[in-house]
Amino acid sequence: MMHRLAEKEQAVSPLLTDMYQITMAYTYWKTGRHCLHSTFDLYFRKAPFGGSYALFAGLQDCLRFVSYYRFTQSEVDYVKSVIPSCDQEFLQWLLTVNCASVTIHAFEEGSVVFPSEPMLRVSGPLAVVQLLETTLLNMVNYASLMATNAHRFRIAAGPEAKLFEFGLRRAQGPDGAMSASRYSMHGGFDGTSNVAAGFQYGIPVFGTHAHSYVQSFCSLSDCFADTKHFISSKDSEMSSQAFRDRVTRIRDTLDLASRTSDGELAAFISYAFVHPSSFLALVDTYDTIESGVPNFMCVAFALFEMNHQPIGIRLDSGDLGCTSVKAHSAFHGIAEMYVSRFKAPRDGVLNMVSKLSIVASDEISVPKLLELRSMNHEITAFGIGTHLVTCREQPALGCVFKLSSVQGKLRMKLSEDPAKASIPGEKVVYRLYDQHNKAFGDVLALSDDKSLRGGESVELRRRQRPENVITVVPHRIRKLLQLVWCGEPDVKQLDPQQYIKMATSRMKMDVDELDSEVVGVVCEPKEYPVFITSSLYQAMRKLQCLIEIRNESDR
Amino acid sequence: MMHRLAEKEQAVSPLLTDMYQITMAYTYWKTGRHCLHSTFDLYFRKAPFGGSYALFAGLQDCLRFVSYYRFTQSEVDYVKSVIPSCDQEFLQWLLTVNCASVTIHAFEEGSVVFPSEPMLRVSGPLAVVQLLETTLLNMVNYASLMATNAHRFRIAAGPEAKLFEFGLRRAQGPDGAMSASRYSMHGGFDGTSNVAAGFQYGIPVFGTHAHSYVQSFCSLSDCFADTKHFISSKDSEMSSQAFRDRVTRIRDTLDLASRTSDGELAAFISYAFVHPSSFLALVDTYDTIESGVPNFMCVAFALFEMNHQPIGIRLDSGDLGCTSVKAHSAFHGIAEMYVSRFKAPRDGVLNMVSKLSIVASDEISVPKLLELRSMNHEITAFGIGTHLVTCREQPALGCVFKLSSVQGKLRMKLSEDPAKASIPGEKVVYRLYDQHNKAFGDVLALSDDKSLRGGESVELRRRQRPENVITVVPHRIRKLLQLVWCGEPDVKQLDPQQYIKMATSRMKMDVDELDSEVVGVVCEPKEYPVFITSSLYQAMRKLQCLIEIRNESDR
């Protein structure tokens, strides 16, 4: 949240966790198991939005959280109040807990990740890592979902369209909104309407005016109720009055007065006079084509005569594609009229008109963008709110945090549904490349497994169908998990703006290496194989038998 | 977010707004319109989740926001950086902006609200109220959606079932999670797993253990790795060793050893020994009926022998209804065996068994609850996560903030879609009651309209079909909008816990007064009429003609 806080104070409390983490920690402590060296994996089982991948995000928040992980006395007192029977000595221990003996390996922020791959691998004392579970999940789940969703909007809109996040009013409270603004950048957005996100993360911010602004004007006399603030030298090139007169002269000469709203024109005149170099008008308060666009053009020509380039218009209702075409055609029609009636330089006017943006912003979704791309439209930028920030098509990523080893011994969770079984052991993840530098599969391997090398043949198994052996010869391999925390951060500290740039560039590199059918927005994305090594498969089989046998008779 | 902050520091920054609010404020200021007295309504057009109503929530956050509304120098410097051309004098003005000349009327927190009714009516200087828009929407939108969603879960689960919010890991970041925990209480939940919400809002917190806890145990020898922490006097009534032996003796005598997991039993023994008065076991790590339930029962009997009442079991996978019936029947079957083999007091044992809870917690949705209610099941409590906190069925409420008057003159937004047209004027809302104290409709009226009185006949029109006049005689009327802010808070300051109680009790009162088909979870809820008074209708007609005429020829 946009609190006015130092880094340390921005850290969330260790109490932001599920109660069962604390009852478990107490049980571990009391039974002498709290220091057992354990490893947990944070991953998703199924890619979101019917796609094949997700973008990993949230690492910076996780690292801040572990950096300042400490219970205060009042927090420990609260724990005592909810577990009244717990030992005083446990509370003393809780006061000493920190993450100095925890290590975290992670994908780079912005990476393309596939199901079952540990985005975070967290090792350390059993009770401590257990205590971190819920908060890490909270920090990775929405961040990654949001970045992935934003990327889908980017893919659907195509590389040319400008994309702005407009979801502040519809997000899950202040923090939800801040995360939405930040992680939409990871997915390839160009900016946000959220000023606090601009302030805090250095994200470009955009915005002009609302319907209520237009409605607050009734007539041309409302233009400049009070001009006492027009006193600075830069206003002196033209008085507000002269600007208004210039606009109305253009309107009258072009015969545009008959169906346009005076209040709307007054609103546009005021806005343009105050923001001459960033005039973008919301044109659908009354009637887009009959009133909004003609009014906009009159003001645009007045600015043009003063050597300012107007920015364009915003459409917030109706059939956006169709209206954008009509508006675009009206730009040109009115411009020709202007050239002829004012004997204006044709090239200059057409050049000004060719630079006008049409921003659309009414309930834009991924299917809506795909529909627009398949038809004729003139929209150059999109403001995207509800569907982006709520991730309406799938509002939760569903990451899990599963125990994979205790004191070096492998652990796995079996399930009637094999897809829900976890993969045991302390693991690493590799990406495999062919000679054209295209990624063709990822591999999960136990961290001590040295069988995988670039240029050498290796036997692998599909994570989902491990019965069959597949032999591949990767031209090159890349290790995807990096050490990011070993009692202290092991990554370069970047300011938020640099960090967003780094994540976006990692996203672009990863996406470029992948088949566009894997990271596209299609109904049935091409499957990207996630393999396991033969030794990991053998270890899983052995463990599975052990668990099943023990459940049967092994006592 | 669970920051460790004083009230003032918890207030969000005025920058948590859309950029266009600031460009508009600058335009208003520059053109001398910033002080025009204006009124805006915050309302939703369509009730969420296909229902007829919403619960209003978020008021406390809104009041905190306006209480501490002040730009800091660094925030103003940032504004300068994004509007480089703006006047220094405007920035000076921005530094002086506060909400001393703003008034806010609102529904009571927890109220049942219907479409078009202003949940907030905000009046004050045009530029100041405009600056508040986005943040107020952000604070009301998710809070109200969440409270409404929680209430639907409560209705679907029935009044007897316990409901716990378990969504921390799936919410939109830390704040989203805190809001989810808090506003689920408004809708009728009994508690949360979120410890920070317990600490901050005094909400009851619940939780026991996870699958990873069970998996961390392999054999009975893992029970008590180290007993040095069993030193306090309350442990002395029975050693950990003796407790374990008691449990295994019960297991062996009941012949339950053959298909149960030793690791799971060890996990249960440890948990129960550490938390003897709150033993609730997650029983589906291996096999619920073959291993989890029998293991749980062995430990439950051992506790029973020590005069502790075990709490029950939690199911987190599979067919919850069917498994709960099987588990319930297994409780009784194993209990009968225990009574006969141990010559235990039958009444006492059956009494213990009858008190056992069955908690279910796997992807519970409203349709899932309705399905469970229509079949045989033995679930007594639900832990609800993803579907609750993400409001999956409709993740945004879509409240709007519309200008309704400027300097006493009415304003309305027309739209091709009549449902999207706003209702002009400074309005009040009444609820109408019949002689049985049942609410039968709400009325929007201009605030100076005195035509509505209890016991007197009045002519009204439906908001949606205003052509027809309806005459009603309310037995009693109740004014729903209260003054809550007039430059300072006009409501009693309550601590968060009292505040939640107050909101929940308002919700219950409102729900009790309404037809259960209006506030139920049904596919086609009974329509609850929202009326407008005749004078409001006349005012709207007049304004509509004016706007349309002006658009045509009025110049």
Side-chain angles (χ1 to χ4, degrees):
Chain A
M1 201 193 306
M2 220 351 266
H3 294 299
R4 298 133 183 201
L5 297 174
E7 165 86 2
K8 182 177 175 179
E9 290 166 318
Q10 285 182 40
V12 298
S13 154
L15 292 189
L16 191 79
T17 191
D18 287 313
M19 181 62 193
Y20 73 2
Q21 311 293 7
I22 295 179
T23 53
M24 282 191 275
Y26 179 46
T27 313
Y28 289 141
W29 177 86
K30 186 89 179 172
T31 57
R33 298 170 64 74
H34 56 298
C35 290
L36 299 181
H37 182 79
S38 307
T39 298
F40 286 75
D41 292 337
L42 190 155
Y43 63 95
F44 57 88
R45 295 179 183 127
K46 197 168 176 299
F49 309 115
S52 69
Y53 71 103
L55 297 181
F56 169 58
L59 181 59
Q60 204 175 28
D61 286 344
C62 293
L63 293 181
R64 181 192 288 139
F65 173 63
V66 296
S67 291
Y68 296 105
Y69 194 89
R70 277 284 192 177
F71 284 84
T72 63
Q73 186 61 52
S74 65
E75 288 162 347
V76 165
D77 292 345
Y78 179 72
V79 169
K80 172 77 184 167
S81 78
V82 288
I83 315 180
S85 66
C86 85
D87 286 11
Q88 196 54 41
E89 215 185 315
F90 169 69
L91 301 173
Q92 288 305 320
W93 174 78
L94 216 49
L95 279 172
T96 68
V97 169
N98 61 39
C99 293
S101 45
V102 170
T103 55
I104 303 179
H105 288 75
F107 274 73
E108 278 179 54
E109 185 121 23
S111 295
V112 173
V113 196
F114 296 95
S116 301
E117 298 180 352
M119 295 191 275
L120 296 183
R121 187 183 93 202
V122 188
S123 297
L126 179 55
V128 178
V129 181
Q130 190 79 67
L131 283 169
L132 303 177
E133 169 177 2
T134 309
T135 326
L136 296 179
L137 282 169
N138 176 280
M139 288 170 166
V140 171
N141 257 327
Y142 178 64
S144 299
L145 186 72
M146 183 61 216
T148 310
N149 200 27
H151 188 244
R152 293 171 65 246
F153 276 88
R154 168 48 73 202
I155 300 269
E160 302 301 330
K162 293 276 176 202
L163 293 181
F164 304 112
E165 179 272 314
F166 278 8
L168 171 50
R169 61 190 63 193
R170 303 288 164 80
Q172 282 187 9
D175 260 1
M178 293 299 282
S179 303
S181 305
R182 180 177 175 194
Y183 296 115
S184 61
M185 297 300 288
H186 289 208
F189 268 55
D190 298 290
T192 178
S193 66
N194 179 349
V195 189
F199 183 48
Q200 189 148 316
Y201 306 126
I203 301 172
V205 296
F206 295 94
T208 53
H209 65 83
H211 292 123
S212 57
Y213 167 80
V214 176
Q215 286 167 261
S216 81
F217 292 81
C218 274
S219 69
L220 282 171
S221 61
D222 284 343
C223 264
F224 302 106
D226 178 349
T227 55
K228 76 166 189 287
H229 291 133
F230 291 110
I231 47 173
S232 64
S233 61
K234 69 174 181 299
D235 298 326
S236 65
E237 54 175 287
M238 174 173 266
S239 80
S240 54
Q241 202 56 47
F243 183 70
R244 192 182 84 178
D245 294 346
R246 185 189 285 245
V247 173
T248 52
R249 199 185 65 243
I250 294 172
R251 183 189 63 168
D252 295 339
T253 309
L254 298 182
D255 287 331
L256 292 174
S258 67
R259 307 208 54 188
T260 53
S261 156
D262 276 7
E264 185 180 58
L265 186 63
F268 292 177
I269 290 172
S270 300
Y271 194 89
F273 193 75
V274 176
H275 306 271
S277 59
S278 55
F279 175 54
L280 193 144
L282 177 62
V283 290
D284 66 346
T285 304
Y286 302 108
D287 184 307
T288 303
I289 301 301
E290 297 292 332
S291 179
V293 170
N295 274 335
F296 163 75
M297 290 301 280
C298 296
V299 179
F301 293 132
L303 287 175
F304 171 74
E305 291 172 8
M306 296 160 66
N307 295 315
H308 288 294
Q309 169 69 41
I311 305 295
I313 60 171
R314 178 160 75 93
L315 307 173
D316 194 40
S317 60
D319 179 335
L320 299 171
C322 179
T323 312
S324 73
V325 171
K326 284 188 197 161
H328 186 256
S329 139
F331 289 170
H332 285 88
I334 299 172
E336 291 293 353
M337 212 150 64
Y338 175 76
V339 169
S340 92
R341 299 204 184 165
F342 283 85
K343 313 270 180 269
R346 192 157 189 281
D347 285 358
V349 172
L350 293 188
N351 181 43
M352 178 277 273
V353 168
S354 73
K355 288 183 189 156
L356 294 177
S357 298
I358 300 183
V359 184
S361 61
D362 181 38
E363 291 286 318
I364 308 284
S365 62
V366 165
K368 179 87 204 158
L369 285 176
L370 293 174
E371 186 199 320
L372 280 168
R373 274 185 95 181
S374 72
M375 60 189 268
N376 193 15
H377 76 82
E378 296 290 346
I379 300 165
T380 57
F382 295 94
I384 304 177
T386 313
H387 290 272
L388 176 66
V389 307
T390 64
C391 300
R392 194 157 215 157
E393 290 173 65
Q394 181 182 328
L397 178 54
C399 283
V400 294
F401 193 77
K402 294 289 172 193
L403 183 67
S404 65
S405 77
V406 177
Q407 296 285 85
K409 284 185 190 144
L410 275 49
R411 287 286 190 282
M412 75 185 283
K413 165 92 180 74
L414 297 183
S415 173
E416 288 165 35
D417 176 1
K420 283 183 107 175
S422 66
I423 303 176
E426 202 163 284
K427 295 176 292 294
V428 288
V429 187
Y430 297 98
R431 189 149 291 170
L432 310 179
Y433 297 87
D434 65 17
Q435 63 273 39
H436 308 295
N437 213 23
K438 282 283 171 193
F440 66 88
D442 286 5
V443 182
L444 298 173
L446 291 168
S447 54
D448 54 6
D449 184 344
K450 306 283 178 216
S451 65
L452 215 67
R453 282 194 198 84
E456 287 183 20
S457 152
V458 63
E459 289 191 348
L460 300 172
R461 289 155 189 272
R462 286 281 183 109
R463 157 83 183 99
Q464 297 298 344
R465 295 180 292 282
E467 305 74 24
N468 308 327
V469 176
I470 297 163
T471 306
V472 302
V473 189
H475 183 73
R476 177 171 78 84
I477 65 172
R478 181 164 68 94
K479 211 169 173 172
L480 303 180
L481 282 179
Q482 315 274 340
L483 179 69
V484 294
W485 176 266
C486 51
E488 55 187 51
D490 198 68
V491 281
K492 215 168 40 182
Q493 300 291 304
L494 296 171
D495 74 38
Q497 197 170 7
Q498 291 175 305
Y499 196 83
I500 288 173
K501 272 195 188 148
M502 187 200 68
T504 311
S505 109
R506 167 45 64 204
M507 176 275 284
K508 285 181 179 156
M509 278 192 285
D510 277 17
V511 167
D512 282 349
E513 289 171 357
L514 288 158
D515 191 326
S516 64
E517 287 176 43
V518 169
V519 287
V521 186
V522 283
C523 295
E524 294 192 14
K526 191 168 162 183
E527 199 196 336
Y528 180 84
V530 176
F531 300 104
I532 54 176
T533 57
S534 284
S535 53
L536 180 51
Y537 175 68
Q538 301 308 340
M540 282 173 76
R541 287 291 305 152
K542 205 171 134 193
L543 198 62
Q544 220 158 342
C545 293
L546 252 173
I547 297 172
E548 278 161 9
I549 289 165
R550 188 164 49 237
N551 288 349
E552 293 295 330
S553 60
D554 177 44
R555 58 187 81 246
Chain B
M1 199 194 306
M2 219 351 265
H3 293 300
R4 298 134 182 199
L5 297 175
E7 166 85 2
K8 181 176 175 178
E9 290 166 317
Q10 286 182 40
V12 297
S13 155
L15 292 190
L16 191 79
T17 190
D18 286 313
M19 181 61 194
Y20 74 2
Q21 312 292 5
I22 295 179
T23 53
M24 283 190 275
Y26 179 46
T27 312
Y28 289 140
W29 176 86
K30 186 90 179 172
T31 57
R33 299 171 63 74
H34 56 299
C35 289
L36 299 181
H37 182 80
S38 308
T39 298
F40 286 76
D41 293 337
L42 191 155
Y43 63 96
F44 56 88
R45 295 178 183 129
K46 196 168 177 296
F49 309 115
S52 67
Y53 71 103
L55 298 181
F56 169 57
L59 181 58
Q60 204 175 28
D61 286 343
C62 292
L63 293 180
R64 181 191 289 138
F65 174 63
V66 295
S67 292
Y68 296 104
Y69 193 90
R70 279 284 192 177
F71 284 83
T72 62
Q73 185 62 52
S74 65
E75 287 162 348
V76 165
D77 292 345
Y78 179 71
V79 169
K80 171 78 183 165
S81 78
V82 289
I83 314 181
S85 66
C86 84
D87 286 9
Q88 196 55 39
E89 215 185 315
F90 170 69
L91 301 174
Q92 289 305 321
W93 174 78
L94 217 48
L95 279 171
T96 69
V97 169
N98 61 39
C99 293
S101 46
V102 170
T103 56
I104 303 179
H105 288 74
F107 274 73
E108 278 179 54
E109 184 121 23
S111 296
V112 173
V113 196
F114 296 96
S116 300
E117 298 179 352
M119 297 191 274
L120 296 183
R121 186 182 93 203
V122 188
S123 298
L126 179 56
V128 178
V129 182
Q130 189 77 68
L131 282 169
L132 303 177
E133 168 177 3
T134 309
T135 326
L136 296 179
L137 282 169
N138 176 281
M139 287 170 167
V140 170
N141 256 328
Y142 179 64
S144 300
L145 186 72
M146 184 62 217
T148 310
N149 200 26
H151 187 242
R152 294 170 65 245
F153 276 89
R154 167 49 73 202
I155 300 270
E160 302 300 331
K162 292 275 175 203
L163 293 181
F164 304 112
E165 179 272 313
F166 278 8
L168 171 49
R169 61 189 64 195
R170 302 288 163 82
Q172 282 188 8
D175 261 1
M178 293 299 283
S179 303
S181 305
R182 180 177 175 192
Y183 296 115
S184 61
M185 298 301 288
H186 289 208
F189 268 55
D190 298 290
T192 178
S193 66
N194 178 351
V195 188
F199 183 48
Q200 189 148 316
Y201 307 125
I203 301 172
V205 296
F206 294 93
T208 52
H209 65 82
H211 291 122
S212 57
Y213 168 80
V214 175
Q215 286 167 263
S216 81
F217 291 81
C218 274
S219 68
L220 283 170
S221 62
D222 285 343
C223 265
F224 303 106
D226 178 348
T227 55
K228 76 166 189 286
H229 290 134
F230 292 110
I231 47 172
S232 64
S233 60
K234 71 175 182 293
D235 300 326
S236 64
E237 54 175 287
M238 176 174 266
S239 80
S240 55
Q241 202 57 45
F243 183 71
R244 192 182 84 178
D245 293 346
R246 185 189 285 246
V247 172
T248 51
R249 198 185 65 243
I250 293 171
R251 182 190 63 170
D252 294 339
T253 309
L254 298 181
D255 287 332
L256 293 173
S258 67
R259 307 206 55 187
T260 52
S261 156
D262 276 8
E264 185 181 57
L265 186 62
F268 292 176
I269 290 171
S270 301
Y271 195 90
F273 193 75
V274 176
H275 307 271
S277 59
S278 55
F279 175 54
L280 193 144
L282 177 62
V283 292
D284 66 346
T285 306
Y286 301 108
D287 184 309
T288 303
I289 301 301
E290 297 292 334
S291 180
V293 170
N295 274 336
F296 163 75
M297 289 302 279
C298 296
V299 180
F301 293 132
L303 286 176
F304 171 76
E305 291 172 7
M306 295 161 67
N307 295 315
H308 288 294
Q309 170 70 41
I311 304 295
I313 61 170
R314 179 161 74 92
L315 307 174
D316 193 40
S317 60
D319 180 334
L320 298 171
C322 178
T323 311
S324 73
V325 171
K326 284 188 194 161
H328 186 257
S329 137
F331 288 171
H332 285 89
I334 299 173
E336 291 294 352
M337 211 150 65
Y338 175 76
V339 168
S340 92
R341 298 203 185 166
F342 282 87
K343 311 272 178 271
R346 193 158 188 279
D347 286 358
V349 172
L350 292 189
N351 181 43
M352 178 276 276
V353 168
S354 72
K355 289 183 189 154
L356 293 177
S357 298
I358 300 183
V359 185
S361 60
D362 181 37
E363 291 286 317
I364 308 285
S365 62
V366 165
K368 180 85 203 162
L369 284 177
L370 293 174
E371 186 199 320
L372 280 167
R373 273 185 97 180
S374 72
M375 59 188 270
N376 194 15
H377 75 81
E378 296 290 345
I379 300 165
T380 56
F382 295 93
I384 304 176
T386 312
H387 290 272
L388 176 67
V389 307
T390 64
C391 300
R392 194 158 214 155
E393 291 173 63
Q394 181 180 329
L397 178 54
C399 283
V400 293
F401 192 75
K402 292 289 172 195
L403 183 67
S404 65
S405 77
V406 177
Q407 297 284 86
K409 285 187 189 141
L410 274 49
R411 287 287 188 284
M412 75 184 283
K413 164 92 180 73
L414 297 182
S415 173
E416 288 166 35
D417 177 0
K420 283 183 109 176
S422 66
I423 303 177
E426 201 163 284
K427 294 177 292 296
V428 288
V429 188
Y430 297 99
R431 188 149 291 170
L432 309 179
Y433 296 88
D434 65 16
Q435 63 273 39
H436 308 295
N437 214 22
K438 281 284 172 195
F440 67 88
D442 285 5
V443 182
L444 297 174
L446 291 169
S447 55
D448 53 8
D449 183 344
K450 305 284 178 218
S451 66
L452 216 67
R453 282 193 198 84
E456 288 183 19
S457 154
V458 64
E459 290 191 348
L460 300 173
R461 290 157 188 271
R462 286 281 183 110
R463 158 85 183 100
Q464 296 298 342
R465 294 180 292 283
E467 304 75 24
N468 307 327
V469 175
I470 297 163
T471 305
V472 302
V473 188
H475 185 72
R476 175 170 79 84
I477 66 173
R478 180 163 70 93
K479 211 168 173 173
L480 302 180
L481 281 179
Q482 315 274 341
L483 180 69
V484 293
W485 175 267
C486 50
E488 55 187 49
D490 197 68
V491 283
K492 215 169 40 182
Q493 299 291 304
L494 296 171
D495 74 36
Q497 197 169 6
Q498 291 174 302
Y499 196 83
I500 287 172
K501 272 195 188 146
M502 187 202 67
T504 311
S505 110
R506 168 46 62 203
M507 177 274 285
K508 285 181 180 155
M509 278 191 285
D510 277 15
V511 167
D512 282 349
E513 289 171 356
L514 287 158
D515 191 326
S516 64
E517 287 176 45
V518 169
V519 287
V521 185
V522 282
C523 295
E524 294 191 16
K526 190 168 162 183
E527 199 196 336
Y528 180 84
V530 176
F531 299 105
I532 54 177
T533 57
S534 283
S535 53
L536 181 51
Y537 175 68
Q538 302 307 341
M540 281 172 77
R541 287 292 304 152
K542 204 171 135 194
L543 198 61
Q544 220 158 342
C545 292
L546 252 174
I547 296 173
E548 278 161 8
I549 289 165
R550 189 163 49 237
N551 287 349
E552 294 294 332
S553 61
D554 178 43
R555 60 188 78 246

